[in-house]
mmCIF file of all heavy atoms in Angstrom:
data_model
loop_
_atom_site.group_PDB
_atom_site.id
_atom_site.type_symbol
_atom_site.label_atom_id
_atom_site.label_comp_id
_atom_site.label_asym_id
_atom_site.label_seq_id
_atom_site.Cartn_x
_atom_site.Cartn_y
_atom_site.Cartn_z
ATOM 1 N N LEU A 1167 -90.685 4.910 -26.265
ATOM 2 C CA LEU A 1167 -90.147 4.570 -24.986
ATOM 3 C C LEU A 1167 -89.761 3.090 -25.040
ATOM 4 O O LEU A 1167 -90.320 2.266 -25.630
ATOM 5 C CB LEU A 1167 -91.258 4.703 -23.888
ATOM 6 C CG LEU A 1167 -92.178 5.973 -23.907
ATOM 7 C CD1 LEU A 1167 -93.233 5.916 -22.882
ATOM 8 C CD2 LEU A 1167 -91.218 7.160 -23.693
ATOM 9 N N THR A 1168 -88.666 2.838 -24.305
ATOM 10 C CA THR A 1168 -88.216 1.380 -24.219
ATOM 11 C C THR A 1168 -87.619 1.192 -22.813
ATOM 12 O O THR A 1168 -87.028 1.952 -22.281
ATOM 13 C CB THR A 1168 -87.183 1.038 -25.345
ATOM 14 O OG1 THR A 1168 -86.722 -0.209 -25.118
ATOM 15 C CG2 THR A 1168 -86.011 2.115 -25.282
ATOM 16 N N GLY A 1169 -87.830 -0.074 -22.377
ATOM 17 C CA GLY A 1169 -87.138 -0.503 -21.156
ATOM 18 C C GLY A 1169 -85.756 -0.935 -21.320
ATOM 19 O O GLY A 1169 -85.208 -0.583 -22.404
ATOM 20 N N ALA A 1170 -85.155 -1.627 -20.382
ATOM 21 C CA ALA A 1170 -83.806 -2.038 -20.540
ATOM 22 C C ALA A 1170 -83.698 -3.188 -21.616
ATOM 23 O O ALA A 1170 -84.685 -3.652 -22.136
ATOM 24 C CB ALA A 1170 -83.186 -2.456 -19.255
ATOM 25 N N GLY A 1171 -82.423 -3.614 -21.832
ATOM 26 C CA GLY A 1171 -82.225 -4.522 -22.906
ATOM 27 C C GLY A 1171 -82.708 -6.009 -22.744
ATOM 28 O O GLY A 1171 -83.228 -6.269 -21.676
ATOM 29 N N VAL A 1172 -82.492 -6.798 -23.686
ATOM 30 C CA VAL A 1172 -82.968 -8.229 -23.614
ATOM 31 C C VAL A 1172 -82.146 -8.880 -22.518
ATOM 32 O O VAL A 1172 -80.984 -8.629 -22.326
ATOM 33 C CB VAL A 1172 -82.663 -8.914 -25.026
ATOM 34 C CG1 VAL A 1172 -83.067 -10.347 -24.998
ATOM 35 C CG2 VAL A 1172 -83.494 -8.221 -26.122
ATOM 36 N N ALA A 1173 -82.836 -9.753 -21.796
ATOM 37 C CA ALA A 1173 -82.242 -10.479 -20.677
ATOM 38 C C ALA A 1173 -81.032 -11.334 -21.146
ATOM 39 O O ALA A 1173 -81.007 -11.873 -22.241
ATOM 40 C CB ALA A 1173 -83.184 -11.357 -19.974
ATOM 41 N N CYS A 1174 -80.028 -11.385 -20.375
ATOM 42 C CA CYS A 1174 -78.755 -12.150 -20.722
ATOM 43 C C CYS A 1174 -78.017 -12.561 -19.492
ATOM 44 O O CYS A 1174 -78.401 -12.000 -18.426
ATOM 45 C CB CYS A 1174 -77.894 -11.260 -21.649
ATOM 46 S SG CYS A 1174 -77.262 -9.805 -20.826
ATOM 47 N N PRO A 1175 -77.157 -13.467 -19.578
ATOM 48 C CA PRO A 1175 -76.392 -13.907 -18.362
ATOM 49 C C PRO A 1175 -75.641 -12.764 -17.716
ATOM 50 O O PRO A 1175 -75.105 -11.881 -18.471
ATOM 51 C CB PRO A 1175 -75.427 -15.008 -18.951
ATOM 52 C CG PRO A 1175 -76.091 -15.433 -20.196
ATOM 53 C CD PRO A 1175 -76.776 -14.232 -20.791
ATOM 54 N N ARG A 1176 -75.569 -12.731 -16.421
ATOM 55 C CA ARG A 1176 -74.916 -11.695 -15.770
ATOM 56 C C ARG A 1176 -73.301 -11.838 -15.942
ATOM 57 O O ARG A 1176 -72.845 -12.996 -16.112
ATOM 58 C CB ARG A 1176 -75.238 -11.697 -14.204
ATOM 59 C CG ARG A 1176 -76.663 -11.416 -13.912
ATOM 60 C CD ARG A 1176 -76.917 -9.886 -14.254
ATOM 61 N NE ARG A 1176 -78.318 -9.479 -13.986
ATOM 62 C CZ ARG A 1176 -78.823 -8.347 -14.174
ATOM 63 N NH1 ARG A 1176 -78.074 -7.375 -14.695
ATOM 64 N NH2 ARG A 1176 -80.105 -8.152 -13.962
ATOM 65 N N ALA A 1177 -72.641 -10.753 -15.769
ATOM 66 C CA ALA A 1177 -71.132 -10.827 -15.837
ATOM 67 C C ALA A 1177 -70.624 -11.615 -14.716
ATOM 68 O O ALA A 1177 -71.153 -11.598 -13.607
ATOM 69 C CB ALA A 1177 -70.590 -9.278 -15.872
ATOM 70 N N ASN A 1178 -69.519 -12.185 -14.827
ATOM 71 C CA ASN A 1178 -68.771 -12.966 -13.885
ATOM 72 C C ASN A 1178 -67.944 -12.006 -13.062
ATOM 73 O O ASN A 1178 -66.808 -11.617 -13.426
ATOM 74 C CB ASN A 1178 -67.936 -14.068 -14.421
ATOM 75 C CG ASN A 1178 -67.195 -14.910 -13.442
ATOM 76 O OD1 ASN A 1178 -67.458 -14.683 -12.242
ATOM 77 N ND2 ASN A 1178 -66.335 -15.798 -13.865
ATOM 78 N N THR A 1179 -68.438 -11.610 -11.893
ATOM 79 C CA THR A 1179 -67.716 -10.641 -11.039
ATOM 80 C C THR A 1179 -66.604 -11.344 -10.241
ATOM 81 O O THR A 1179 -65.814 -10.640 -9.651
ATOM 82 C CB THR A 1179 -68.620 -9.949 -9.988
ATOM 83 O OG1 THR A 1179 -69.248 -11.006 -9.264
ATOM 84 C CG2 THR A 1179 -69.706 -9.098 -10.738
ATOM 85 N N ASN A 1180 -66.456 -12.596 -10.353
ATOM 86 C CA ASN A 1180 -65.260 -13.284 -9.665
ATOM 87 C C ASN A 1180 -64.065 -13.259 -10.441
ATOM 88 O O ASN A 1180 -62.986 -13.580 -10.006
ATOM 89 C CB ASN A 1180 -65.672 -14.772 -9.439
ATOM 90 C CG ASN A 1180 -66.840 -14.880 -8.370
ATOM 91 O OD1 ASN A 1180 -66.878 -14.079 -7.434
ATOM 92 N ND2 ASN A 1180 -67.673 -15.950 -8.566
ATOM 93 N N ALA A 1181 -64.097 -12.932 -11.796
ATOM 94 C CA ALA A 1181 -62.994 -12.890 -12.552
ATOM 95 C C ALA A 1181 -62.064 -11.688 -12.167
ATOM 96 O O ALA A 1181 -62.490 -10.606 -11.976
ATOM 97 C CB ALA A 1181 -63.413 -12.775 -14.027
ATOM 98 N N VAL A 1182 -60.790 -11.970 -12.056
ATOM 99 C CA VAL A 1182 -59.867 -10.911 -11.627
ATOM 100 C C VAL A 1182 -58.896 -10.664 -12.702
ATOM 101 O O VAL A 1182 -58.067 -9.650 -12.581
ATOM 102 C CB VAL A 1182 -59.121 -11.307 -10.372
ATOM 103 C CG1 VAL A 1182 -60.120 -11.462 -9.221
ATOM 104 C CG2 VAL A 1182 -58.337 -12.565 -10.515
ATOM 105 N N HIS A 1183 -58.926 -11.331 -13.789
ATOM 106 C CA HIS A 1183 -58.063 -11.166 -14.919
ATOM 107 C C HIS A 1183 -58.733 -11.015 -16.241
ATOM 108 O O HIS A 1183 -59.529 -11.956 -16.511
ATOM 109 C CB HIS A 1183 -56.990 -12.303 -15.005
ATOM 110 C CG HIS A 1183 -55.832 -12.095 -15.951
ATOM 111 N ND1 HIS A 1183 -56.001 -12.550 -17.269
ATOM 112 C CD2 HIS A 1183 -54.710 -11.375 -15.862
ATOM 113 C CE1 HIS A 1183 -54.920 -12.208 -17.938
ATOM 114 N NE2 HIS A 1183 -54.085 -11.505 -17.153
ATOM 115 N N GLN A 1184 -58.709 -9.962 -16.920
ATOM 116 C CA GLN A 1184 -59.421 -9.721 -18.096
ATOM 117 C C GLN A 1184 -58.515 -9.158 -19.193
ATOM 118 O O GLN A 1184 -57.475 -8.622 -18.955
ATOM 119 C CB GLN A 1184 -60.562 -8.756 -17.864
ATOM 120 C CG GLN A 1184 -61.605 -9.221 -16.734
ATOM 121 C CD GLN A 1184 -62.535 -8.138 -16.492
ATOM 122 O OE1 GLN A 1184 -62.304 -6.957 -16.809
ATOM 123 N NE2 GLN A 1184 -63.657 -8.436 -15.814
ATOM 124 N N VAL A 1185 -58.980 -9.342 -20.480
ATOM 125 C CA VAL A 1185 -58.242 -8.735 -21.614
ATOM 126 C C VAL A 1185 -59.280 -7.816 -22.227
ATOM 127 O O VAL A 1185 -60.313 -8.230 -22.741
ATOM 128 C CB VAL A 1185 -57.823 -9.748 -22.608
ATOM 129 C CG1 VAL A 1185 -57.155 -9.062 -23.741
ATOM 130 C CG2 VAL A 1185 -56.737 -10.638 -21.954
ATOM 131 N N ILE A 1186 -59.058 -6.464 -22.306
ATOM 132 C CA ILE A 1186 -60.023 -5.608 -22.887
ATOM 133 C C ILE A 1186 -59.848 -5.651 -24.393
ATOM 134 O O ILE A 1186 -58.862 -6.043 -24.889
ATOM 135 C CB ILE A 1186 -59.778 -4.130 -22.223
ATOM 136 C CG1 ILE A 1186 -58.361 -3.675 -22.586
ATOM 137 C CG2 ILE A 1186 -60.031 -4.190 -20.848
ATOM 138 C CD1 ILE A 1186 -58.114 -2.256 -22.073
ATOM 139 N N PRO A 1187 -60.773 -5.116 -25.149
ATOM 140 C CA PRO A 1187 -60.780 -5.212 -26.593
ATOM 141 C C PRO A 1187 -59.462 -4.780 -27.276
ATOM 142 O O PRO A 1187 -59.167 -5.327 -28.345
ATOM 143 C CB PRO A 1187 -61.916 -4.361 -27.042
ATOM 144 C CG PRO A 1187 -62.880 -4.433 -25.900
ATOM 145 C CD PRO A 1187 -62.066 -4.465 -24.659
ATOM 146 N N SER A 1188 -58.739 -3.820 -26.695
ATOM 147 C CA SER A 1188 -57.570 -3.267 -27.406
ATOM 148 C C SER A 1188 -56.477 -4.252 -27.205
ATOM 149 O O SER A 1188 -55.427 -4.041 -27.850
ATOM 150 C CB SER A 1188 -57.209 -1.963 -26.733
ATOM 151 O OG SER A 1188 -56.968 -2.124 -25.353
ATOM 152 N N GLY A 1189 -56.559 -5.319 -26.423
ATOM 153 C CA GLY A 1189 -55.597 -6.308 -26.202
ATOM 154 C C GLY A 1189 -54.676 -6.001 -25.014
ATOM 155 O O GLY A 1189 -53.738 -6.753 -24.698
ATOM 156 N N ILE A 1190 -54.951 -4.898 -24.274
ATOM 157 C CA ILE A 1190 -54.175 -4.544 -23.175
ATOM 158 C C ILE A 1190 -54.671 -5.335 -21.959
ATOM 159 O O ILE A 1190 -55.858 -5.287 -21.651
ATOM 160 C CB ILE A 1190 -54.252 -3.002 -22.872
ATOM 161 C CG1 ILE A 1190 -53.774 -2.201 -24.108
ATOM 162 C CG2 ILE A 1190 -53.436 -2.634 -21.596
ATOM 163 C CD1 ILE A 1190 -53.816 -0.690 -23.923
ATOM 164 N N GLU A 1191 -53.785 -5.985 -21.266
ATOM 165 C CA GLU A 1191 -54.127 -6.818 -20.150
ATOM 166 C C GLU A 1191 -54.397 -5.894 -18.950
ATOM 167 O O GLU A 1191 -53.791 -4.912 -18.766
ATOM 168 C CB GLU A 1191 -53.028 -7.854 -19.752
ATOM 169 C CG GLU A 1191 -52.912 -8.877 -20.755
ATOM 170 C CD GLU A 1191 -52.015 -9.936 -20.338
ATOM 171 O OE1 GLU A 1191 -51.380 -9.831 -19.254
ATOM 172 O OE2 GLU A 1191 -51.854 -11.026 -21.066
ATOM 173 N N PHE A 1192 -55.356 -6.224 -18.143
ATOM 174 C CA PHE A 1192 -55.766 -5.549 -16.947
ATOM 175 C C PHE A 1192 -56.062 -6.458 -15.796
ATOM 176 O O PHE A 1192 -56.788 -7.409 -15.968
ATOM 177 C CB PHE A 1192 -57.047 -4.639 -17.311
ATOM 178 C CG PHE A 1192 -57.611 -4.028 -16.012
ATOM 179 C CD1 PHE A 1192 -56.923 -2.863 -15.544
ATOM 180 C CD2 PHE A 1192 -58.717 -4.457 -15.313
ATOM 181 C CE1 PHE A 1192 -57.534 -2.279 -14.391
ATOM 182 C CE2 PHE A 1192 -59.282 -3.870 -14.213
ATOM 183 C CZ PHE A 1192 -58.585 -2.764 -13.800
ATOM 184 N N ARG A 1193 -55.318 -6.327 -14.739
ATOM 185 C CA ARG A 1193 -55.454 -7.265 -13.578
ATOM 186 C C ARG A 1193 -55.881 -6.388 -12.393
ATOM 187 O O ARG A 1193 -55.237 -5.396 -12.050
ATOM 188 C CB ARG A 1193 -54.049 -7.932 -13.320
ATOM 189 C CG ARG A 1193 -54.150 -8.937 -12.181
ATOM 190 C CD ARG A 1193 -52.746 -9.535 -11.911
ATOM 191 N NE ARG A 1193 -52.300 -10.261 -13.013
ATOM 192 C CZ ARG A 1193 -52.553 -11.514 -13.220
ATOM 193 N NH1 ARG A 1193 -53.385 -12.162 -12.430
ATOM 194 N NH2 ARG A 1193 -52.054 -12.170 -14.373
ATOM 195 N N LEU A 1194 -56.954 -6.852 -11.732
ATOM 196 C CA LEU A 1194 -57.449 -6.161 -10.506
ATOM 197 C C LEU A 1194 -56.529 -6.505 -9.318
ATOM 198 O O LEU A 1194 -56.100 -7.639 -9.181
ATOM 199 C CB LEU A 1194 -58.876 -6.588 -10.168
ATOM 200 C CG LEU A 1194 -59.994 -6.225 -11.169
ATOM 201 C CD1 LEU A 1194 -61.220 -6.835 -10.750
ATOM 202 C CD2 LEU A 1194 -60.097 -4.726 -11.177
ATOM 203 N N PRO A 1195 -56.211 -5.487 -8.478
ATOM 204 C CA PRO A 1195 -55.440 -5.688 -7.276
ATOM 205 C C PRO A 1195 -56.116 -6.719 -6.437
ATOM 206 O O PRO A 1195 -57.402 -6.763 -6.365
ATOM 207 C CB PRO A 1195 -55.296 -4.362 -6.580
ATOM 208 C CG PRO A 1195 -55.547 -3.361 -7.705
ATOM 209 C CD PRO A 1195 -56.484 -4.005 -8.765
ATOM 210 N N ALA A 1196 -55.427 -7.517 -5.617
ATOM 211 C CA ALA A 1196 -56.027 -8.516 -4.807
ATOM 212 C C ALA A 1196 -57.014 -7.941 -3.785
ATOM 213 O O ALA A 1196 -58.144 -8.535 -3.571
ATOM 214 C CB ALA A 1196 -54.880 -9.250 -4.022
#
C-alpha cells in the first residue's frame, strides 16, 4: 500500500499559454 506521491510545488493555474511535450502549442481561450 502507498499513499500519494512526494510533496512538490503546485502547478501554476494562472498560466494560459503552455507548450506540451510534443512541441505543439496550446492556448486556453480567454
